[in-house]
Amino acid sequence: MTRLSTLAGTWEPMSYAFLDASAKREVRRRMLKALAIPGHQVPYASREVPIARGWGTGGLQVTLSLLRPGLRVKVIDQGADDSVNAVNLRRFMMRTAAVEQTTDALEADIIQSRHRIPEETLAEGQILVLQVPDPEPLRPIEPDMSTARQMHGDADYGRMWLMLYEQIVRSGRVTQGAAYPAMVNGRHVMTPSPIPRWDLPKLHMARHITFLSAGREKRLHAVPPFTDVRPLVFDDVPFAVEDHATLTCAKSGLRGTFMNEIPLDDGGTLYETSDTGLAIKVLSTQGGTPQPIGTTWYPVTETQP
Amino acid sequence: MTAFIPDAPILIDQQPLLRVTAARRLYGSFVAVDDVSLEVWPGEVIGIVGESGSGKSTLLRMLNLEEPSNGGDYRLTLPGRAEQNLFDLDRFEKRALRARHIGIVYQNPHLGLMMHNSSSGNVAERLVVAGERRFAVMRRRATGALAASDFPLDRKDAPPIELSGGMQQRVQLAKAIALEPELLLLDEPTTGLDVSVQALVIDTLKRLQAERAITMIVVSHDLGVIRTLADRVLVMKQGRVVEQGLTDQVLHDPQHPYAQELVHARL
Amino acid sequence: MPVSDPVLSVQALTKGFTVHHLSTEIAAFADVSFDLAQGEFLLLRGPNGVGKSTLLRTLWRSCVPLGGRAVFQSSRGPVDLLRAADVDIAWLRRNDIGFATQFLTARPRVSAEALVAEPLTQSGVALDAALQTARQHLHAFGVSPLLWPAYPSTFSGGEQQKVNLARALIVPRKLLLLDEPTASLDAAARQALVARLAALKAAGTAMIGVFHHPEDVAHLIDRELALAPAVAA
């Protein structure tokens, strides 16, 4: 007579990396499909996770389904490793999956990020997971999502240029700052989550994999390695990134990175490098403990602060 | 008395631009458009009259390929298209054809315009759908189409929501003609406008017709509009064409009882 | 009197009206036949209500005939006006057949000179040249130059009529239908009209006319056709 306990596994309070195996399998299948159709939004079940919708549940589910022991994860929010949201997410991953943490973009196997792509060039094998509030680039021009799906199916993207036309007519320039729409692999227009225009060129022909996942909207899309990603532009109005190349970080003296603007009491402004992982490495090197700094997407120089 | 049926044309050396045979549209068991046939020659202006619910707007939307058909044959003499029944095209081809070759002005500007976008942007949409990706060209051609529609250019970037009804119709018209379509469809283009504004819109249409020899089909229940614009008229009742003829013939000597009723009811 | 090579040959032309809401048939005329040669002027006579204007309108096809034939030698070959396709009739109206009445169909915001020049531009004359000719004709009919660029919808009846005649007669046609064009015209304009008709006739235009005062055009009339009241069938 076989006892039931010999057939069942050992009781555990939760699954490895929180999601149960079938949930992870479902997400992984959706991720594979998203890789197969670059830029195409793939629906997925979007399970409950113990953080609120809108706080990175989409990115978290993708990351959790990829975790295995020994991986190193980096979690950033607006470029910072030490913001509350980033710390919470990282702690959750470490508790449920026993992975290692890092703030160094070069060391990380998986980087989950809200709103930024690190300044150092990511390499083959690395995975960038972007948290996306709204994956639908057509939403500003087509409130009916069924129609928007059909427009994606038809590659009917003309009105996206109309949106840019309106911005130029109203403001004299394209005012789309973050989530700038981009054509992926010449077929699907995607919204690359609210990353600044500064970061968009980093996705073009990148060596790493990018997943973009929206938990509340239950959709994810992906940019596989070496994929053509081009911002939507007029032929006669070139795409321009934010004018940050000439700003200098008040802390590290870095120049050529995306900057956070810090208003001062006297009405002036300070700038700080948004990518804290990079800034910490530079500061550490300056303090006498050299840290390897990778190649960067934009030319970065150091000046004395 | 048998109905008057004229001979086939012998003097015209052109092919019809548009040829519809036995077009039909059903809503469940209700027959909205019933066995309608129509030929339109290049440069002609055709009026379609009839009371509300006679199927005239439905027919117009079918001609714009936005309303499906339940039978019939629709041909436009366009390069590479003459042999195709346009009713049978898939939605990609319908959209491409509509964007390139057909312009439409709806009675309700909300149907044809993005009310909160700029007026010039509304016109530019046509260009962008047809593949234009140069801002300067979009700007120039949108401005040109607005000017051709007698739209005041100092308001070209105002959103239609801020414009009067007559101005909104001009934006629709500019959008419709931006790509110089072969066929222009107008659904009650002046209904709901002040009489003086009506006259201005009709004047613009007349001028466009004279300058560009654009082929138009105008749906209206206003016989005055039809009399001023149309060369020929179709009278529709309950989805069928009950009479068609030269505009002055239909207005002076209508044959069908319903056409007589319609003409006699005119103020 | 037989006519050789007629421009228009009308046989057994019959017209009546069916008024559906009264369930009645109103006979206009029946079995009218005549031939018309190039440059010939035919006067239609008969009492009021006999259908003289209706006959013109039936040939013009704003009225639908009940029966008969009316073979017209168009510049693109013979065509039966009573059975021709609507687009053929429209073509004939643009190119071969003119119709002059006393009533103007003014269009909103179209100037008098543009209205008069329109038949010329439709037949391919450049706009400037057409406007030039239009002004000459308006001048001949005694329309003041001040009115040329104005909109005729605001004109007096007499001035509108002059604009209308100038428009109707500006392009020489093979066939011209005249429906009381002289009615209520002042003497000078009537003289201009008669002179224009004489010039057109000399150039070969065949004409069928209905006139209240045929003496106005007495010297142009070649033949008369009397219409008798039709007997209701």
mmCIF file of all heavy atoms in Angstrom, chain C residues 36-54:
data_model
loop_
_atom_site.group_PDB
_atom_site.id
_atom_site.type_symbol
_atom_site.label_atom_id
_atom_site.label_comp_id
_atom_site.label_asym_id
_atom_site.label_seq_id
_atom_site.Cartn_x
_atom_site.Cartn_y
_atom_site.Cartn_z
ATOM 1 N N LEU C 36 -36.238 70.263 -90.403
ATOM 2 C CA LEU C 36 -35.618 71.580 -90.228
ATOM 3 C C LEU C 36 -34.240 71.523 -90.857
ATOM 4 O O LEU C 36 -33.449 70.622 -90.560
ATOM 5 C CB LEU C 36 -35.518 71.891 -88.730
ATOM 6 C CG LEU C 36 -35.102 73.297 -88.332
ATOM 7 C CD1 LEU C 36 -36.177 74.314 -88.730
ATOM 8 C CD2 LEU C 36 -34.860 73.356 -86.830
ATOM 9 N N ALA C 37 -33.996 72.504 -91.767
ATOM 10 C CA ALA C 37 -32.710 72.517 -92.457
ATOM 11 C C ALA C 37 -31.733 73.423 -91.723
ATOM 12 O O ALA C 37 -32.121 74.239 -90.884
ATOM 13 C CB ALA C 37 -32.884 72.992 -93.890
ATOM 14 N N GLN C 38 -30.479 73.276 -92.089
ATOM 15 C CA GLN C 38 -29.442 74.154 -91.534
ATOM 16 C C GLN C 38 -29.791 75.606 -91.834
ATOM 17 O O GLN C 38 -30.208 75.952 -92.936
ATOM 18 C CB GLN C 38 -28.118 73.787 -92.189
ATOM 19 C CG GLN C 38 -26.924 74.464 -91.574
ATOM 20 C CD GLN C 38 -25.644 74.084 -92.295
ATOM 21 O OE1 GLN C 38 -25.595 73.092 -93.019
ATOM 22 N NE2 GLN C 38 -24.619 74.881 -92.120
ATOM 23 N N GLY C 39 -29.696 76.467 -90.844
ATOM 24 C CA GLY C 39 -29.958 77.885 -91.046
ATOM 25 C C GLY C 39 -31.424 78.232 -91.176
ATOM 26 O O GLY C 39 -31.762 79.384 -91.447
ATOM 27 N N GLU C 40 -32.288 77.278 -90.983
ATOM 28 C CA GLU C 40 -33.720 77.541 -91.140
ATOM 29 C C GLU C 40 -34.313 77.976 -89.805
ATOM 30 O O GLU C 40 -33.915 77.502 -88.745
ATOM 31 C CB GLU C 40 -34.429 76.291 -91.651
ATOM 32 C CG GLU C 40 -35.830 76.572 -92.160
ATOM 33 C CD GLU C 40 -36.527 75.321 -92.684
ATOM 34 O OE1 GLU C 40 -36.042 74.205 -92.401
ATOM 35 O OE2 GLU C 40 -37.545 75.460 -93.364
ATOM 36 N N PHE C 41 -35.285 78.867 -89.871
ATOM 37 C CA PHE C 41 -35.957 79.371 -88.674
ATOM 38 C C PHE C 41 -37.417 78.940 -88.727
ATOM 39 O O PHE C 41 -38.156 79.339 -89.624
ATOM 40 C CB PHE C 41 -35.855 80.902 -88.621
ATOM 41 C CG PHE C 41 -36.282 81.507 -87.307
ATOM 42 C CD1 PHE C 41 -35.393 82.211 -86.516
ATOM 43 C CD2 PHE C 41 -37.600 81.389 -86.862
ATOM 44 C CE1 PHE C 41 -35.793 82.778 -85.320
ATOM 45 C CE2 PHE C 41 -38.002 81.945 -85.653
ATOM 46 C CZ PHE C 41 -37.095 82.639 -84.882
ATOM 47 N N LEU C 42 -37.825 78.105 -87.783
ATOM 48 C CA LEU C 42 -39.206 77.604 -87.742
ATOM 49 C C LEU C 42 -39.923 78.264 -86.578
ATOM 50 O O LEU C 42 -39.457 78.217 -85.440
ATOM 51 C CB LEU C 42 -39.195 76.080 -87.570
ATOM 52 C CG LEU C 42 -40.566 75.402 -87.424
ATOM 53 C CD1 LEU C 42 -41.318 75.431 -88.751
ATOM 54 C CD2 LEU C 42 -40.408 73.979 -86.935
ATOM 55 N N LEU C 43 -41.072 78.878 -86.875
ATOM 56 C CA LEU C 43 -41.868 79.504 -85.821
ATOM 57 C C LEU C 43 -42.987 78.567 -85.419
ATOM 58 O O LEU C 43 -43.718 78.044 -86.269
ATOM 59 C CB LEU C 43 -42.447 80.833 -86.314
ATOM 60 C CG LEU C 43 -43.311 81.564 -85.285
ATOM 61 C CD1 LEU C 43 -42.452 82.178 -84.196
ATOM 62 C CD2 LEU C 43 -44.186 82.616 -85.949
ATOM 63 N N LEU C 44 -43.129 78.308 -84.123
ATOM 64 C CA LEU C 44 -44.260 77.523 -83.625
ATOM 65 C C LEU C 44 -45.395 78.480 -83.287
ATOM 66 O O LEU C 44 -45.186 79.455 -82.558
ATOM 67 C CB LEU C 44 -43.859 76.730 -82.375
ATOM 68 C CG LEU C 44 -42.802 75.634 -82.527
ATOM 69 C CD1 LEU C 44 -42.610 74.915 -81.200
ATOM 70 C CD2 LEU C 44 -43.215 74.643 -83.607
ATOM 71 N N ARG C 45 -46.576 78.170 -83.807
ATOM 72 C CA ARG C 45 -47.735 79.024 -83.531
ATOM 73 C C ARG C 45 -48.817 78.207 -82.862
ATOM 74 O O ARG C 45 -48.847 76.984 -82.974
ATOM 75 C CB ARG C 45 -48.291 79.603 -84.835
ATOM 76 C CG ARG C 45 -47.295 80.364 -85.669
ATOM 77 C CD ARG C 45 -47.990 81.335 -86.569
ATOM 78 N NE ARG C 45 -48.561 82.424 -85.807
ATOM 79 C CZ ARG C 45 -48.508 83.698 -86.186
ATOM 80 N NH1 ARG C 45 -47.950 84.029 -87.341
ATOM 81 N NH2 ARG C 45 -49.047 84.648 -85.460
ATOM 82 N N GLY C 46 -49.741 78.908 -82.285
ATOM 83 C CA GLY C 46 -50.874 78.217 -81.686
ATOM 84 C C GLY C 46 -51.337 78.953 -80.462
ATOM 85 O O GLY C 46 -50.594 79.774 -79.908
ATOM 86 N N PRO C 47 -52.559 78.668 -80.024
ATOM 87 C CA PRO C 47 -53.091 79.368 -78.846
ATOM 88 C C PRO C 47 -52.323 78.967 -77.574
ATOM 89 O O PRO C 47 -51.616 77.968 -77.556
ATOM 90 C CB PRO C 47 -54.552 78.910 -78.780
ATOM 91 C CG PRO C 47 -54.600 77.647 -79.572
ATOM 92 C CD PRO C 47 -53.524 77.736 -80.605
ATOM 93 N N ASN C 48 -52.536 79.765 -76.530
ATOM 94 C CA ASN C 48 -51.913 79.470 -75.237
ATOM 95 C C ASN C 48 -52.285 78.065 -74.774
ATOM 96 O O ASN C 48 -53.416 77.633 -74.951
ATOM 97 C CB ASN C 48 -52.381 80.468 -74.172
ATOM 98 C CG ASN C 48 -51.542 81.731 -74.221
ATOM 99 O OD1 ASN C 48 -50.474 81.741 -74.819
ATOM 100 N ND2 ASN C 48 -52.049 82.788 -73.604
ATOM 101 N N GLY C 49 -51.332 77.362 -74.207
ATOM 102 C CA GLY C 49 -51.614 76.050 -73.634
ATOM 103 C C GLY C 49 -51.624 74.933 -74.654
ATOM 104 O O GLY C 49 -51.907 73.787 -74.321
ATOM 105 N N VAL C 50 -51.251 75.245 -75.890
ATOM 106 C CA VAL C 50 -51.308 74.210 -76.915
ATOM 107 C C VAL C 50 -50.049 73.320 -76.856
ATOM 108 O O VAL C 50 -50.000 72.256 -77.459
ATOM 109 C CB VAL C 50 -51.495 74.860 -78.302
ATOM 110 C CG1 VAL C 50 -50.180 75.439 -78.795
ATOM 111 C CG2 VAL C 50 -52.068 73.860 -79.299
ATOM 112 N N GLY C 51 -49.063 73.766 -76.134
ATOM 113 C CA GLY C 51 -47.892 72.903 -75.944
ATOM 114 C C GLY C 51 -46.678 73.338 -76.728
ATOM 115 O O GLY C 51 -45.784 72.537 -76.994
ATOM 116 N N LYS C 52 -46.611 74.631 -77.096
ATOM 117 C CA LYS C 52 -45.460 75.097 -77.881
ATOM 118 C C LYS C 52 -44.166 74.994 -77.062
ATOM 119 O O LYS C 52 -43.159 74.448 -77.533
ATOM 120 C CB LYS C 52 -45.677 76.563 -78.319
ATOM 121 C CG LYS C 52 -46.942 76.780 -79.129
ATOM 122 C CD LYS C 52 -47.034 78.186 -79.659
ATOM 123 C CE LYS C 52 -47.173 79.240 -78.552
ATOM 124 N NZ LYS C 52 -48.502 79.212 -77.874
ATOM 125 N N SER C 53 -44.220 75.518 -75.844
ATOM 126 C CA SER C 53 -43.024 75.437 -74.991
ATOM 127 C C SER C 53 -42.697 73.986 -74.663
ATOM 128 O O SER C 53 -41.528 73.590 -74.612
ATOM 129 C CB SER C 53 -43.246 76.207 -73.687
ATOM 130 O OG SER C 53 -43.268 77.582 -73.935
ATOM 131 N N THR C 54 -43.743 73.190 -74.444
ATOM 132 C CA THR C 54 -43.523 71.781 -74.121
ATOM 133 C C THR C 54 -42.832 71.069 -75.275
ATOM 134 O O THR C 54 -41.969 70.206 -75.057
ATOM 135 C CB THR C 54 -44.864 71.109 -73.789
ATOM 136 O OG1 THR C 54 -45.451 71.779 -72.683
ATOM 137 C CG2 THR C 54 -44.662 69.643 -73.453
#
